[in-house]
Amino acid sequence: PCVIRCLMDFNVRLKWDPNMIEAEIKEHLGPGPSDIVMYSRFITGVPGIADRDFIQLRTVQRLEDDQGPLVFVGFKSFESPDFPSRKGVVRSHTFKTGWVCRLTVNPETGAAETVVCMFGQSDMKGWIPSSVINSGLGAAVTKWFKSVNKVCSAEALKKLPEDSDESLHKWYQ
């Protein structure tokens, strides 16, 4: 539950994602945090290259397979004239991105762990060659996961009431 909160709560994400500089829910399409339209803006960190933003539909589902329960968090671009692009910011397109989170037990220590698998296919738009994006992607994803792990570990120590199994449903109603 703590990992799901760390990934989905904008206030926590701003702690571990140094490139995200703005995020907000634009519209609720259903009850709870599943099926929302969200806005997010990211700095590129490269001088002369404009910030990127996204309008995305976020869907959260709790699923079960032969290995047990998992939580799927998916994103795709959401097109609407209600959310025009901003001057000086490039609107990126998300084909499909997201996370699959599964609670597991470490066979060596017996400790509970959450395995997070990330997938993504986005078009950052603009003139940045894909070779430039792809060359830095591996290092960026590794750094991203290390940062998520560090913040999740710190957040887990807080033992917030919403991290109980009973209240996990709030993240995938």
Side-chain angles (χ1 to χ4, degrees), residues 148-164:
V148 170
N149 188 45
K150 182 179 177 182
V151 170
C152 283
S153 296
E155 291 291 314
L157 295 175
K158 295 180 181 178
K159 296 188 187 282
L160 298 174
E162 66 263 19
D163 289 337
S164 69

Side-chain angles (χ1 to χ4, degrees), residues 38-53:
M38 59 181 272
Y39 173 81
S40 54
R41 183 165 61 106
F42 297 83
I43 57 170
T44 62
V46 179
I49 297 181
D51 291 352
R52 298 304 199 254
D53 71 359

Side-chain angles (χ1 to χ4, degrees), residues 46 49 127-138:
V46 179
I49 297 181
W127 61 268
I128 307 171
S130 349
S131 60
V132 172
I133 293 171
N134 292 338
S135 69
L137 197 56

Side-chain angles (χ1 to χ4, degrees), residues 62-104:
R62 186 175 192 277
L63 305 168
E64 184 120 7
D65 64 12
D66 59 342
Q67 297 177 35
L70 57 96
V71 176
F72 167 81
V73 182
F75 303 87
K76 68 178 182 177
S77 277
F78 186 85
E79 308 294 332
S80 171
D82 295 337
F83 311 118
S85 58
R86 293 180 175 182
K87 184 177 179 172
V89 178
V90 176
R91 176 67 45 87
S92 297
H93 181 82
T94 302
F95 296 101
K96 294 177 184 174
T97 64
W99 310 295
V100 177
C101 304
R102 181 185 301 279
L103 188 63
T104 187

